[in-house]
Amino acid sequence: MQNFNRYFLPDRRIFLDNVQYETLQTAEKAEKRKLNCKDTILAQRSDKWVKINFNRTLSFTPEGVFRLSVTFGVLLPFNPETKDEIDWKEVDLAGAFRENCKPLLAALMSRTSLLVAQITSSVGQNPLITPGAPPAAEPGTPS
């Protein structure tokens, strides 16, 4: 999709949508635990706006220590002058957002990273620093 941003007004609202933190008690003692970090982008559409949710979930394998999920969202209000140029039912909104709104995605990711660090350091431990921006495109690949 060319110029995804032209279909939306510049008035965008970023908000904290959800935080879930659960301390886990485990019966078995694991020698090593692997920290998993999974990012997900979901999109919802109405007649007036598109809502994008960026979620980061942290968990361990084997399960233990804690499970943390942080979701930030952004509302993108449609531009009434250009909105009807596209059949929005046919558009992969999450994919189009990921490819065409990198500065806005970076803002959601950096807020998420900061909140994850604050939550994981709240009991006196070192903070977990998760990616604060989308990975850079490899040379020779379109961005």
Side-chain angles (χ1 to χ4, degrees):
M1 169 181 289
Q2 292 193 3
N3 200 0
F4 181 77
N5 288 308
R6 80 182 279 272
Y7 300 104
F8 301 97
L9 297 173
D11 177 32
R12 294 159 181 196
R13 291 179 291 173
I14 296 176
F15 55 92
L16 175 62
D17 195 45
N18 189 35
V19 175
Q20 293 180 324
Y21 179 77
E22 182 180 2
T23 302
L24 302 173
Q25 301 297 325
T26 57
E28 69 180 63
K29 188 157 181 138
E31 295 252 340
K32 292 184 180 180
R33 292 196 194 279
K34 178 183 171 189
L35 177 62
N36 304 302
C37 179
K38 180 180 178 188
D39 292 344
T40 308
I41 298 174
L42 298 174
Q44 295 175 306
R45 178 183 43 81
S46 82
D47 290 339
K48 297 183 180 190
W49 47 257
V50 169
K51 177 183 173 187
I52 302 291
N53 276 345
F54 174 81
N55 173 268
R56 176 163 292 157
T57 301
L58 299 174
S59 62
F60 288 89
T61 304
E63 187 176 75
V65 187
F66 67 84
R67 187 176 18 238
L68 173 61
S69 174
V70 175
T71 305
F72 273 90
V74 61
L75 282 179
L76 306 171
F78 279 116
N79 181 339
E81 295 175 11
T82 57
K83 172 189 166 214
D84 295 328
E85 293 176 8
I86 290 182
D87 181 3
W88 292 99
K89 294 175 189 168
E90 302 297 319
V91 175
D92 171 14
L93 290 167
F97 176 81
R98 185 182 313 107
E99 293 302 315
N100 297 285
C101 296
K102 292 190 191 296
L104 193 49
L105 177 57
L108 294 173
M109 291 180 78
S110 61
R111 282 174 167 83
T112 302
S113 181
L114 178 60
L115 192 52
V116 165
Q118 290 173 325
I119 291 168
T120 58
S121 68
S122 66
V123 292
Q125 299 298 316
N126 290 330
L128 289 177
I129 308 298
T130 57
E138 294 181 25
T141 59
S143 58

